Amino acid sequence: MKRKLLFAERVIYGEGNKAFNAVVPVKICGSFSAEDLHYALRKIQEKHPLLNSFIEVDEKNMPWFVVNEEVSNDIPVRIVARLTDNDWETEVVKEWATLFDTNKGPLMRVVWIKSENMSDLILVMHHCLCDGRTAMSILADLLKIIDNKKVNIGKQPPILSMYDIVPVEILKNKRRIFKAKFKGLLNFILLWLIPVSKKLPERKQDYMINWKLDKELGDQLVSISKSSGVTINTLLCVIILNVFKEIRKEKFFNKIACPVDIRKYMPKINDDSIFAFVSMVALSFDNKLDFISNAKKMQEIINGKVSKLDPHQMIMMFEQSHSSFSYLVDFLKYSKPSNDFLFSNLGRINIAHEYNSFELATIYSPSAVGPFGNTTGFVASTFRGLMDFTFIGNELFIPYDEAVAIKNRIITIIKEQVGHESAIAV
């Protein structure tokens, strides 16, 4: 099997010489064997052929996913002794920076931080292969098979071409083809014209800060979002932007980037599909408005932008932009930061936590660090009723001590907002 990387996948892959890894850590109480884990990983590869792949670059410098069906390409497992509850954080930061050998593959590996009755499993996948939604699907299947070898997880046909994700009537529509080519050419011209100083600032130490809200506080925050007519995602955006304004001061851009999961707008792609394409929405808040009014205005902006989203046309346009690849990579790599952070919320993760021989104690919010520009990001998720946050940073952009202050202030503002709404309700 051989499939050319889509443009978005190609941008994430780059030249293959920089790490861009999606990392999913979980904590497990109980025991399972190495044999069970390796068996489960082989079954996952049987379901998803692309998890057996390596990347081959042709004479035109175009990368391709390649699967040699006659040779096994087992997902490797690195075992680490579990000494403390925080060992997983050290390993996550290490895995952000550890390159895959893309010439050999596979593009997934596992770290097993192991003690007698407690484990942390860290799934690591090249981000060009999958997004957070795919990673959750893989995790769910993996746990099912570790628990029961007889469970049937089925097989997921891989995406082999544009026809597998975009309806044929759209792909062959002359107006859409012209529009995609025109925008692709326009992107090329704009990127070619933008002057970029090819001088990279020296990246410093990456770090992560992870925390959870207690259940009562998280539930009250969700209640505020519902009563205000905004999503919890929007409410969190406003909270974090306020904190950045307060703490970052003159370094505050008032701009947040939020990925939009486009699967629900593309019926041919399901939650099990290996897929790594998202759209982005940029948001800011209005300094003249109060907290809730800002959230409502921001929600209107999000709804307006999402309603105009045409992911099929977007993908067609990107596929007409391969000639812009090197210019776009340079722009992403060398341009000065223009936003404060990226915020992604996976929402409620519907994965079982009770199994025959173990319990899934928690899922820590996934993370990824790429080689492009400002690496600051927040990922939120909710599992077993607890809202979890991962704050991703680098000392070059935000010193660690300042990041701790941001985290503490976020929690304080959440408590203040919950208390404020409770007072109003009384």
Side-chain angles (χ1 to χ4, degrees):
M1 188 189 83
K2 188 172 182 178
R3 195 263 279 177
K4 183 175 71 173
L5 271 68
L6 299 173
F7 183 75
E9 296 168 338
R10 186 183 177 192
V11 170
I12 296 172
Y13 171 70
E15 300 294 339
N17 57 359
K18 300 290 183 182
F20 201 157
N21 303 331
V23 181
V24 183
V26 303
K27 180 179 180 180
I28 295 173
C29 300
S31 62
F32 53 90
S33 68
E35 177 188 355
D36 290 340
L37 176 57
H38 285 288
Y39 177 84
L41 289 170
R42 287 194 294 272
K43 285 295 180 181
I44 293 293
Q45 287 181 297
E46 287 180 14
K47 177 175 180 175
H48 299 287
L50 283 175
L51 291 180
N52 296 276
S53 67
F54 59 93
I55 292 180
E56 183 178 274
V57 179
D58 64 20
E59 64 280 358
K60 296 180 180 179
N61 206 34
M62 183 68 70
W64 296 69
F65 291 122
V66 180
V67 176
N68 186 341
E69 297 173 5
E70 297 179 359
V71 178
S72 62
N73 203 6
D74 294 342
I75 294 170
V77 177
R78 178 169 63 89
I79 298 177
V80 178
R82 192 178 194 276
L83 303 178
T84 75
D85 284 340
N86 298 321
D87 291 339
W88 70 273
E89 295 184 359
T90 302
E91 296 301 326
V92 164
V93 174
K94 184 186 297 183
E95 289 299 325
W96 284 344
T98 303
L99 275 168
F100 279 96
D101 185 348
T102 57
N103 294 320
K104 294 182 179 179
L107 303 179
M108 176 177 172
R109 58 178 179 259
V110 173
V111 181
W112 184 6
I113 308 174
K114 180 182 178 184
S115 64
E116 187 174 352
N117 291 307
M118 191 78 72
S119 293
D120 299 296
L121 275 184
I122 302 175
L123 311 188
V124 187
M125 289 150 280
H126 199 299
H127 208 359
C128 74
L129 199 63
C130 70
D131 59 3
R133 194 67 60 193
T134 303
M136 291 300 108
S137 172
I138 290 172
L139 173 63
D141 285 341
L142 184 70
L143 295 170
K144 289 176 189 175
I145 305 168
I146 291 174
D147 186 56
N148 178 9
K149 288 184 177 180
K150 294 181 180 179
V151 72
N152 181 9
I153 60 170
K155 295 187 183 298
Q156 179 64 39
I159 294 170
L160 296 177
S161 73
M162 290 273 285
Y163 287 94
D164 291 329
I165 55 177
V166 181
V168 63
E169 61 270 21
I170 293 178
L171 279 177
K172 293 189 175 181
N173 183 290
K174 291 182 179 180
R175 184 182 64 83
R176 283 181 171 268
I177 292 171
F178 174 79
K179 187 177 178 181
K181 288 183 177 180
F182 176 76
K183 286 195 172 182
L185 176 61
L186 186 61
N187 286 340
F188 173 82
I189 294 170
L190 289 174
L191 288 166
W192 179 70
L193 288 173
I194 294 174
V196 177
S197 175
K198 293 190 177 182
K199 185 178 180 181
L200 275 177
E202 185 177 349
R203 283 276 287 273
K204 298 182 180 179
Q205 179 63 43
D206 291 323
Y207 59 80
M208 69 171 293
I209 303 173
N210 177 269
W211 74 95
K212 295 182 187 295
L213 293 184
D214 67 64
K215 190 174 188 307
E216 183 179 358
L217 192 59
D219 289 346
Q220 288 175 320
L221 194 64
V222 171
S223 178
I224 291 173
S225 77
K226 289 180 178 178
S227 64
S228 304
V230 303
T231 66
I232 187 66
N233 186 80
T234 303
L235 199 61
L236 289 170
C237 285
V238 176
I239 290 171
I240 302 174
L241 271 174
N242 269 283
V243 173
F244 268 66
K245 178 187 177 183
E246 179 182 319
I247 293 180
R248 297 289 285 163
K249 300 186 187 311
E250 69 278 359
K251 296 179 181 178
F252 177 60
F253 295 104
N254 191 15
K255 189 175 180 182
I256 175 176
C258 292
V260 177
D261 184 0
I262 63 175
R263 292 171 191 252
K264 55 186 172 182
Y265 308 104
M266 303 181 73
K268 299 187 79 171
I269 303 172
N270 58 44
D271 282 347
D272 281 359
S273 296
I274 294 281
F275 188 65
F277 186 96
V278 295
S279 180
M280 287 286 181
V281 172
L283 301 168
S284 301
F285 67 64
D286 189 335
N287 291 312
K288 298 177 182 178
L289 298 178
D290 62 29
F291 185 88
I292 294 300
S293 298
N294 247 314
K296 289 180 177 180
K297 181 177 180 180
M298 195 176 288
Q299 189 65 60
E300 290 177 6
I301 293 170
I302 292 171
N303 293 344
K305 290 184 177 183
V306 170
S307 68
K308 296 176 183 177
L309 199 63
D310 187 348
H312 293 126
Q313 186 67 44
M314 192 185 307
I315 289 178
M316 289 175 65
M317 180 271 292
F318 276 124
E319 289 311 295
Q320 295 293 332
S321 302
H322 281 277
S323 58
S324 307
F325 168 74
S326 59
Y327 298 107
L328 177 58
V329 169
D330 283 349
F331 175 77
L332 294 172
K333 189 187 300 182
Y334 298 108
S335 60
K336 293 181 180 180
S338 60
N339 63 279
D340 294 286
F341 56 89
L342 181 145
F343 178 75
S344 177
N345 183 13
L346 291 180
R348 294 189 181 275
I349 299 175
N350 296 315
I351 294 179
H353 69 273
E354 292 181 330
Y355 299 85
N356 291 317
S357 61
F358 60 87
E359 175 188 353
L360 181 59
T362 192
I363 300 174
Y364 303 103
S365 294
S367 57
V369 174
F372 304 135
N374 189 356
T375 60
T376 308
F378 291 83
V379 184
S381 61
T382 302
F383 180 66
R384 300 183 69 172
L386 294 177
M387 198 175 295
D388 181 274
F389 294 84
T390 293
F391 182 178
I392 305 150
N394 183 279
E395 290 278 0
L396 173 64
F397 302 107
I398 300 179
Y400 180 79
D401 290 346
E402 190 173 313
V404 172
I406 289 172
K407 171 242 180 177
N408 291 336
R409 186 60 181 146
I410 288 171
I411 296 172
T412 299
I413 287 186
I414 289 173
K415 290 178 178 178
E416 289 173 354
Q417 288 302 316
V418 166
H420 176 68
E421 290 298 315
S422 298
I424 292 175
V426 171

